[in-house]
Amino acid sequence: MKALSTISSFAGKYFAFIVIVFSILAFMVPNLFSSFGAYITILLGVVMFGMGLTLKASDFKLVFTNPIPVLIGIVAQFSIMPTIAFIIAYLLKLPAELAAGLVLLGSVPGGTSSNVMVYLAKGNVPLSITMTSVSTLLAPIMTPLLLLIFAGQWLPIDPMSMFMSIIQVIIIPIILGLLVSKYLPTVTQKSESILPLISIVAITIIVSAIVANNKENIATAGALVFVAVLMHNGFGLLLGYFAAKALRLSRQDQRAISIEVGMQNSGLGVALAASYFTPLAALPSAFASAWQVITGTFLASYWAKHEVTNDTNSKLEKKSHPKTLAKIEEVK
């Protein structure tokens, strides 16, 4: 178990590099990974089950004790990202499948890796965790609704079917994880150190499968997709930060909301695109899996060198999330 914990820590540090390496390998030798495309939904369910194992009641504490930053962050998450995706799709004149895929990327909830980035950036970790948890629970309603509004002109949207899929792929695994965590705490504690490794392996396989099944599309449209994802992620980080700043939130809250808004649950984007659109529509989310970790790491490193003074939230972090911070420290 100690060896697996060490491997998990290593994989967490070099997650983006691992995804890039396997994506290149999948592009060069697609036969090695193409068959995994049939298991994307299952793999994402495994990732969400792991998220459920790590969730605690304290993750939702801020919703009741200090709801304003949470509300601002969630509104920013579900307004800025789909709107930016819509605008970029029009400006770059993306094909219908890629346009819908980019909007899908902008309509999914925040990704769990954002919590690590916020911690490294000296941001408000409890706010980050709460935003990820709340946005994920809102996803069955918000993601289909936003897609219907912003992407319906490009591809047909079935919001009710998508609602049920998100319930099955996201909510049910999270609930199962919560139940296991509550009734089998010993098992959960023993597995916590390797959960990041399981998630990284699952996401890497998901991305590799999409790349392998889209080799020709990547060869012709890869540069365009990369530019779209780069712009989407960059503007998300920037506008998330300035939205929090304009509303006079603390600098720690600004950092947390910036990273939460800019980093999406790309795994969910890939799974939904593969199920409801076309494999080509999954490319934006697949590219984002690696790229947003790279930008998040660089931004976190920059902010870490400019630590906030008179930090009152750090006490709250240690008091509210000691186990979470311990796990994040392992990744660091």
Side-chain angles (χ1 to χ4, degrees), residues 57-66 130 316 319-321:
S58 58
D59 295 339
F60 300 92
K61 184 178 179 180
L62 285 184
V63 175
F64 306 101
T65 60
N66 190 18
T130 302
L316 176 61
K319 185 176 181 180
S320 301
H321 295 273

Side-chain angles (χ1 to χ4, degrees), residues 49-56 59 177 181 188 192 195 324 327:
F49 175 76
M51 178 180 177
L53 286 176
T54 62
L55 284 178
K56 304 290 186 296
D59 295 339
S181 177
T188 303
E192 280 182 344
L195 285 177
T324 302
K327 288 183 288 181

Side-chain angles (χ1 to χ4, degrees), residues 289-312:
S289 294
W291 178 250
Q292 64 187 10
V293 175
I294 294 173
T295 56
T297 301
F298 276 107
L299 184 60
S301 298
Y302 172 78
W303 272 332
K305 296 176 183 178
H306 299 78
E307 188 169 356
V308 179
T309 56
N310 298 323
D311 186 357
T312 58

